[in-house]
Amino acid sequence: MKIMVVGGGGREHAIIKKLKENESVEKIYALPGNGGIAADAECVAVKATDLDGICEFAKANAIDYAVVAPDDPLVLGCVDRLNELGIPCFGPEAKAAIIEGSKVFSKNLCKKYGIPTAQYEVFTDVESALNYLETAPIPTVIKADGLALGKGVIIAETREDAKKAVKEMMEDKVFGKSGDQIVIEEFLTGPEVSVLSFTDGKVVVPMISSMDHKRALDDDKGLNTGGMGTVAPNPYYTKSIADRCMKEIFVPTMNAMNAEGRTFKGCLYFGLMLTPNGPKVIEFNCRFGDPETQVVLPLLKTDLLEVMQAVTNSTLSDVEVEFSEESAACVVMASSGYPQKYETGFEITAEGDVMKDIFVAGARLEDGKLLTGGGRVLGVTALGSCLSCAINNAYEKVNKVHFDNAFYRKDIGKRALQAQKGND
Ligand code: AMP
Ligand code: GLY
């Protein structure tokens, strides 16, 4: 089989490495991939948002199956376009990807179908939003409606900050059209859990839970990033919470999308907060999370291609999706200065066979050398028989990866370990 994976980050690298385990896979193309992915797939210089380019390539190369991984091509309708060409895909159609593409849509969906989430109001004009903020409880959370490269959520600690955020989104258009509508919602507290799930619209199969680390610096300080590391499973996500989420959130969301005529097929990501009043949805994503995928897929025992095809064919209930009993940790190594200004172009080297456990996010090949090429450069994943074993193994490997200006958090999994102690 010839497979095409759309995207070019650490998540796509993890998907590609896993797909390669299937013997019927002869060839994988990554569009655009990156210098590190090039070790595992043929990278083709077509941007993930260039739907015409993607379709042309797929047709010209007789692609048998496509995996569309990032949010923007999904929201733009990449799967719809490929399906029109008769190419089966993993990923939702645009009408279902809207669950991530529009926060107004997803919040209204929750309200209509009784899916627990933060209370909210939607605003389409600045005056009403500013008026509302005069008396809104503080802290408050301001969200741009559309995709905003993961930056469209502002937690405002003061009324002034909240007003500033609203003006930036709605007047200055810092997120472009994504800020035409905004959601202002209740500030929730509690541990966060990421649950990725496979769903074909008939059943929803949660994957192993995970915990992201979004802030740039240790002890959850510094700016928000795309994710500095992950661990799986997430110890806050106990069996009884998982059962409750299945009943109150996962199945109702799948059913709600069906009822709206927007059947979701692909990976539906539930960003949850375990509040004192029970688990609530913080966000939905229409795709695998990054860097959650880098800990979740290495623990998947069932063949990934088989699961993906079952999702496409609406036969997911026939597949037993199994995860290892082990734990996993991923430490992201970034360029110093990320998520603000940083330099790139430094050579990446890895001792021994550590490269095989690395998922490359931002790097390019030049004269056979792998050079840093992004803010987040790579993720180092390790498994272990316990969470602390996996974390120790990951940091041991991090010590064997070298590039100038490397920067990473030293406390990935620390909170998870504390939670685990609390559970014992
Ligand atoms: P998102 O981009 O939707 O994942 O939001 C980024 C982060 O903002 C989440 O991971 C949460 O930590 C935080 N966040 C989002 N919504 C809320 C909320 N209603 N209350 C508290 N924190 C939130
Ligand atoms: N790690 C969070 C996300 O992929 O959106």
Side-chain angles (χ1 to χ4, degrees):
M1 274 184 84
K2 286 206 264 182
I3 299 186
M4 172 176 86
V5 174
V6 175
R11 162 186 58 202
E12 286 76 9
H13 200 179
I15 291 171
I16 287 167
K17 282 196 185 195
K18 200 73 190 175
L19 287 173
K20 276 178 71 175
E21 292 176 8
N22 182 304
E23 282 178 4
S24 69
V25 175
E26 303 153 42
K27 178 98 190 167
I28 304 185
Y29 296 98
L31 278 64
N34 67 46
I37 290 177
D40 293 291
E42 186 173 328
C43 296
V44 183
V46 173
K47 275 209 222 139
T49 46
D50 175 6
L51 301 199
D52 290 338
I54 292 167
C55 288
E56 257 168 53
F57 178 85
K59 232 175 5 185
N61 291 276
I63 294 299
D64 297 302
Y65 192 69
V67 178
V68 182
D71 47 6
D72 10 336
L74 288 166
V75 170
L76 287 170
C78 191
V79 167
D80 311 51
R81 292 276 305 270
L82 290 166
N83 284 342
E84 277 166 26
L85 297 174
I87 299 169
C89 295
F90 183 83
E93 295 174 329
K95 67 178 180 204
I98 192 175
I99 198 165
E100 173 170 5
S102 167
K103 296 243 193 277
V104 172
F105 171 85
S106 62
K107 296 298 294 188
N108 289 342
L109 187 84
C110 288
K111 190 184 266 177
K112 183 168 172 188
Y113 294 93
I115 299 160
T117 190
Q119 288 185 21
Y120 70 102
E121 297 285 337
V122 176
F123 296 95
T124 50
D125 72 280
V126 186
E127 273 73 60
S128 328
L130 293 178
N131 255 339
Y132 172 79
L133 285 175
E134 292 294 342
T135 52
I138 296 292
T140 190
V141 184
I142 324 263
K143 299 187 171 183
D145 174 48
L147 297 180
L149 299 169
K151 298 190 183 114
V153 175
I154 306 289
I155 305 206
E157 307 276 352
T158 65
R159 231 168 272 288
E160 279 57 51
D161 285 354
K163 289 181 184 169
K164 190 165 150 255
V166 164
K167 284 184 191 155
E168 282 174 359
M169 284 183 196
M170 301 192 89
E171 282 180 353
D172 308 341
K173 299 275 175 213
V174 290
F175 303 120
K177 283 184 75 62
S178 289
D180 285 356
Q181 294 190 89
I182 62 164
V183 170
I184 301 184
E185 74 176 28
E186 174 196 12
F187 175 74
L188 298 175
T189 55
E192 286 186 58
V193 183
S194 306
V195 181
L196 287 57
S197 71
F198 292 109
T199 176
D200 61 356
K202 293 181 177 166
V203 290
V204 55
V205 179
M207 298 180 224
I208 195 161
S209 62
S210 53
M211 183 191 286
D212 195 0
H213 297 67
K214 286 203 165 130
R215 301 290 205 94
L217 306 176
D218 284 8
D219 296 320
D220 294 323
K221 301 221 163 70
L223 293 171
N224 255 324
T225 71
M228 294 301 291
T230 35
V231 294
N234 183 327
Y236 287 107
Y237 193 71
T238 58
K239 171 85 174 68
S240 69
I241 291 177
D243 290 344
R244 197 167 163 190
C245 289
M246 191 69 182
K247 215 167 78 204
E248 294 176 12
I249 297 176
F250 305 160
V251 173
T253 303
M254 179 185 73
N255 291 340
M257 291 299 275
N258 286 338
E260 293 290 309
R262 296 176 185 273
T263 295
F264 189 104
K265 292 168 78 162
C267 174
L268 181 53
Y269 168 126
F270 298 92
L272 306 171
M273 197 171 265
L274 309 180
T275 78
N277 299 318
K280 296 197 178 179
V281 173
I282 286 281
E283 63 165 343
F284 297 109
N285 290 328
C286 64
R287 51 168 176 86
F288 284 97
D290 189 339
E292 285 90 342
T293 307
Q294 290 89 313
V295 284
V296 170
L297 288 188
L299 293 170
L300 176 66
K301 290 207 300 195
T302 316
D303 181 76
L304 178 62
L305 183 59
E306 191 191 331
V307 182
M308 286 183 158
Q309 287 181 309
V311 168
T312 309
N313 299 330
S314 309
T315 54
L316 184 57
S317 61
D318 296 345
V319 181
E320 194 162 341
V321 182
E322 284 184 296
F323 282 86
S324 159
E325 294 292 316
E326 284 183 301
S327 299
C330 173
V331 178
V332 169
M333 297 180 75
S335 304
S336 183
Y338 172 75
Q340 292 175 300
K341 247 176 84 147
Y342 53 83
E343 283 180 68
T344 62
F346 302 109
E347 185 176 0
I348 303 166
T349 58
E351 295 170 32
D353 62 354
V354 170
M355 211 63 204
K356 75 173 184 354
D357 301 311
I358 289 180
F359 301 118
V360 179
R364 58 179 186 266
L365 273 177
E366 244 175 64
D367 302 328
K369 287 182 181 166
L370 191 59
L371 307 181
T372 61
R376 286 192 297 170
V377 175
L378 52 87
V380 183
T381 292
L383 306 189
S385 55
C386 64
L387 196 52
S388 66
C389 318
I391 295 164
N392 289 339
N393 291 342
Y395 278 108
E396 239 171 64
K397 288 183 192 173
V398 165
N399 287 332
K400 296 182 176 165
V401 180
H402 311 284
F403 58 88
D404 285 352
N405 281 11
F407 155 75
Y408 58 90
R409 274 181 63 162
K410 311 285 188 299
D411 68 337
I412 298 302
K414 190 171 137 190
R415 252 181 316 129
L417 288 175
Q418 284 162 355
Q420 203 174 41
K421 262 200 205 134
N423 288 347
D424 287 345

